[in-house]
Amino acid sequence: MKLDRDQAGTAIESQLCSNCWGELTEQFVEANVREVHCITEGCPCTGFVSRRYVERRMQEQINEMYEARHALADLIKEITSAGKPDPSHKDYLKMLGFSE
Ligand SMILES: [Zn+2]
């Protein structure tokens, strides 16, 4: 995305790539114009999002991971304490909603 020099500086400090959440960098185009894009090779970098947005989304995903871990631990505990034979890897996947 082409921006003027000041806007480029502000974008690099406060925003990240909307596609990969990678850091932004700039390239000189002409006197007051810079091309701003992310540092991830091959990323289309179609837009920017605020660092604050990315931090919030990452925290939400970490929280979801902890919830999933607890749910899985509870499920395994319930299954193994019922006196049934140990479920197979295939059984665990089926119980978690994955079909063959
Ligand atoms: Zn990117």
Side-chain angles (χ1 to χ4, degrees), residues 17 19-22 38 40 43 45:
C17 174
N19 297 90
C20 69
W21 294 352
C38 75
T40 306
C43 179
C45 192

Side-chain angles (χ1 to χ4, degrees), residues 14-73:
S14 63
Q15 300 186 325
L16 299 169
C17 174
S18 62
N19 297 90
C20 69
W21 294 352
E23 294 287 337
L24 301 177
T25 187
E26 65 182 327
Q27 289 180 319
F28 179 87
V29 176
E30 57 188 62
N32 193 32
V33 180
R34 303 293 185 267
E35 175 71 31
V36 178
H37 57 85
C38 75
I39 60 171
T40 306
E41 193 173 320
C43 179
C45 192
T46 56
F48 310 144
V49 292
S50 71
R51 288 180 182 274
R52 204 171 180 174
Y53 171 80
V54 171
E55 288 167 6
R56 184 173 52 82
R57 289 294 313 276
M58 289 178 78
Q59 189 57 54
E60 287 171 0
Q61 291 177 356
I62 289 169
N63 292 344
E64 288 173 7
M65 180 194 70
Y66 282 119
E67 287 176 22
R69 257 191 200 169
H70 285 291
L72 182 59

